[in-house]
Amino acid sequence: MRSKGFEGMACSIAAVMGAIGDRWGMLIMRDLLLGIRRYDDLRQSSGVTNATLSDRLKLLEENGLVERRRYQTRPERFEYQPTGRGRDLGLLMQAMVQIGDQWNLSNLEGPPLDFIDRRTGQGVKLITVNRETSGPVERDHLGVRPGRGADALMTWRLSRGSERPESSAVRSGQSQGADYPAVRDDHSSARSP
Amino acid sequence: MRSKGFEGMACSIAAVMGAIGDRWGMLIMRDLLLGIRRYDDLRQSSGVTNATLSDRLKLLEENGLVERRRYQTRPERFEYQPTGRGRDLGLLMQAMVQIGDQWNLSNLEGPPLDFIDRRTGQGVKLITVNRETSGPVERDHLGVRPGRGADALMTWRLSRGSERPESSAVRSGQSQGADYPAVRDDHSSARSP
């Protein structure tokens, strides 16, 4: 049932990464989301070679994330812009910026890029909320459950991940459980009367 | 100043992607965050070859995202678990799941994996809020600004991205501006009295 490639996996994480291709693809998407449109500017901003840039732009176009538009005839010139699907990757970009800033991997004086509310100039961040009530949900309360599109492998993965091995590391308290513990998919308990 | 590699870039997106390595690295982090600890289970879950799995686990360990612990002597056996930094990638995983579900790339009946509030079993999602007031910020109001750690390239990137080319595509309305328009870093306007 499952192919070895990313395409056949019943996993949204694999699907998104498969569409972006690699980290160069993500850097190009970053630049497009920031409004860079011209080939030469993309090259300057990302520092990639011509071969890599052409190849990844083509891949991103094939995967429906980028659109190429002619903006000039005689000579023909093109610009690149994100499609609706490509714009959805803004969430990924925000998440990466938030994590990278937490890590401060580059040992910089501060964050290289701030996401803000343009109306007030104040900083923004991503938080997790309840889909229905919009109330914030703390990290410690998060869990996972196989969704309607889960295949046998996803179900196995989640059940395996929520078992705790009987090991000395666990007994000595060195080992921790799943970061997102799996919850049994028991719809009966969630059903309204 | 800037190296060609990801390591030297003043960009949190590049830093996070550099630490994960590639999409196989991300799939392994997914499995660790879901609580999978054993080498054989990681192999089964991700479908990677032994060579790739060993290599990526080593890389993730070197980058401070994964910790290897011996849980048995005679014979020695190890388990893998995410570090604090590795656990920060949960936000990335949530973002990818949210985007992949929106795309429904795999043409599944529904999402393969649901993030939930374990207390209520209800679904959760990521939203953007104001850092100070915690009030929700709509996508259309988001913008970017060079942060304190921005280098000349980041500043150039943002200014270039917020210029609109004088092209027929723009005049005909086919072209769109930056998804996250850059705002001038004018601290004076934000200063308190």
Side-chain angles (χ1 to χ4, degrees):
Chain A
M1 289 286 287
R2 189 170 63 100
S3 113
K4 285 268 181 181
F6 269 64
E7 296 67 26
M9 293 183 185
C11 172
S12 291
I13 300 165
V16 169
M17 285 188 301
I20 298 167
D22 65 357
R23 51 196 193 171
W24 298 114
M26 187 64 214
L27 281 199
I28 295 165
M29 287 309 304
R30 169 199 67 186
D31 290 339
L32 293 173
L33 291 168
L34 293 174
I36 290 182
R37 295 286 173 263
R38 300 286 171 84
Y39 184 91
D40 289 341
D41 288 344
L42 289 169
R43 178 139 158 56
Q44 166 82 8
S45 176
S46 60
V48 300
T49 62
N50 272 318
T52 304
L53 181 56
S54 312
D55 177 78
R56 296 309 188 281
L57 280 170
K58 209 168 157 185
L59 178 86
L60 293 168
E61 201 183 343
E62 282 166 8
N63 292 342
L65 302 182
V66 166
E67 203 170 17
R68 193 170 80 130
R69 289 182 175 278
R70 191 176 58 200
Y71 68 89
Q72 186 184 293
T73 47
R74 290 179 296 181
E76 279 201 321
R77 287 190 184 279
F78 296 90
E79 64 169 24
Y80 299 85
Q81 59 183 33
T83 61
R85 270 193 176 185
R87 287 199 298 275
D88 289 341
L89 293 178
L91 184 69
L92 199 59
M93 191 162 110
Q94 283 184 260
M96 285 196 194
V97 163
Q98 195 156 317
I99 296 165
D101 292 350
Q102 264 178 312
W103 288 356
N104 190 20
L105 278 185
S106 323
N107 291 315
L108 300 165
E109 282 168 56
L113 177 67
D114 289 328
F115 278 94
I116 56 166
D117 182 340
R118 283 188 289 133
R119 295 168 304 175
T120 63
Q122 287 174 304
V124 298
K125 63 175 177 183
L126 290 173
I127 64 163
T128 305
V129 298
N130 184 301
R131 249 178 220 282
E132 285 156 56
T133 66
S134 299
V137 180
E138 295 300 320
R139 175 60 185 269
D140 287 350
H141 295 137
L142 290 177
V144 289
R145 186 165 56 193
R148 274 176 297 123
D151 62 1
L153 183 62
M154 181 61 84
T155 308
W156 172 83
R157 182 181 292 133
L158 297 188
S159 65
R160 198 77 189 90
S162 56
E163 284 170 21
R164 296 308 307 130
E166 286 300 319
S167 71
S168 58
V170 175
R171 284 193 300 273
S172 68
Q174 290 184 314
S175 185
Q176 83 216 352
D179 221 51
Y180 297 99
V183 169
R184 283 218 167 276
D185 195 10
D186 182 8
H187 286 301
S188 60
S189 67
R191 200 178 289 153
S192 304
Chain B
M1 289 286 284
R2 188 170 64 99
S3 111
K4 284 269 181 180
F6 270 64
E7 297 67 27
M9 293 183 184
C11 173
S12 292
I13 300 166
V16 170
M17 285 188 301
I20 299 169
D22 65 357
R23 50 196 193 170
W24 299 114
M26 187 63 215
L27 280 200
I28 295 166
M29 288 309 303
R30 170 199 65 185
D31 290 339
L32 294 173
L33 292 168
L34 293 175
I36 291 183
R37 295 285 173 264
R38 302 285 172 86
Y39 183 91
D40 289 341
D41 288 344
L42 289 168
R43 178 139 160 57
Q44 167 81 7
S45 176
S46 61
V48 300
T49 63
N50 273 317
T52 304
L53 182 55
S54 312
D55 178 78
R56 296 311 187 281
L57 280 169
K58 208 169 158 184
L59 179 87
L60 294 168
E61 202 184 341
E62 282 166 9
N63 291 342
L65 302 181
V66 166
E67 202 171 15
R68 191 170 81 130
R69 287 182 177 279
R70 191 177 58 200
Y71 68 89
Q72 186 184 295
T73 46
R74 290 179 296 180
E76 280 201 322
R77 288 190 183 281
F78 296 90
E79 63 168 28
Y80 299 85
Q81 60 183 33
T83 62
R85 269 193 178 184
R87 286 199 297 274
D88 289 341
L89 293 178
L91 184 70
L92 200 59
M93 192 163 109
Q94 284 184 259
M96 286 194 193
V97 163
Q98 194 157 316
I99 296 165
D101 293 348
Q102 263 178 315
W103 288 357
N104 190 19
L105 278 187
S106 322
N107 291 313
L108 300 165
E109 282 169 55
L113 177 67
D114 289 328
F115 278 94
I116 56 167
D117 182 339
R118 283 187 289 133
R119 295 168 306 174
T120 62
Q122 287 174 304
V124 299
K125 64 175 178 183
L126 291 172
I127 64 164
T128 305
V129 298
N130 184 302
R131 248 178 222 283
E132 285 157 57
T133 66
S134 299
V137 179
E138 294 300 320
R139 175 60 185 265
D140 288 350
H141 296 137
L142 290 177
V144 288
R145 184 164 60 192
R148 274 176 297 124
D151 61 2
L153 183 61
M154 181 61 85
T155 308
W156 172 82
R157 182 181 292 133
L158 297 188
S159 66
R160 198 76 189 89
S162 57
E163 284 171 21
R164 297 307 306 130
E166 286 301 320
S167 69
S168 58
V170 175
R171 285 193 299 273
S172 67
Q174 291 183 310
S175 186
Q176 84 215 350
D179 219 53
Y180 298 99
V183 169
R184 282 218 168 274
D185 193 12
D186 182 8
H187 286 301
S188 60
S189 66
R191 199 179 291 155
S192 304

